[in-house]
Amino acid sequence: DEAAHTFLKPTTNFSGSGENNQLFQWKDAKACLYTMTPDKHFLLGKPLGHQCTYAAAGLSGHGFKMTPALGKIMADMALGETKGNQWDIDFLAPSRFGI
């Protein structure tokens, strides 16, 4: 599309002075990189060694459709309300990768 074409036009590289200035052509660009865990499940919970920090990561581009549930789960965790509720999230714990 036109926006990508404009962005990928030859660009001046000012990495040096005088004769070191060169034009280069982009060879590749990626619009989105997926953050994914090795087991392809989210990271959700407290990272090891952090008592007041909660994380939701590794959503591989699917987090946008999961945010209502993830927000509720994260709020419950922050309020200490995860015991005995409907969330079975132990398999998402960051500790499974030592983090």
Side-chain angles (χ1 to χ4, degrees), residues 15-99:
S15 60
S17 61
E19 69 279 352
N20 291 333
N21 291 342
Q22 300 174 354
L23 286 177
F24 65 90
Q25 183 70 35
W26 287 92
K27 288 196 151 276
D28 188 22
K30 296 190 184 339
C32 177
L33 297 177
Y34 277 19
T35 55
M36 191 177 292
T37 62
D39 65 6
K40 298 185 172 94
H41 293 298
F42 304 158
L43 292 174
L44 191 62
K46 287 184 186 179
L48 291 175
H50 297 272
Q51 294 303 313
C52 298
T53 302
Y54 297 86
L59 305 174
S60 69
H62 300 286
F64 72 95
K65 64 184 177 185
M66 304 300 281
T67 52
L70 292 175
K72 173 65 174 141
I73 293 168
M74 295 291 283
D76 286 353
M77 287 190 324
L79 295 171
E81 299 176 1
T82 56
K83 302 275 189 266
N85 68 20
Q86 74 267 25
W87 311 119
D88 181 14
I89 58 170
D90 291 339
F91 74 103
L92 299 174
S95 61
R96 72 187 192 273
F97 296 112
I99 40 181

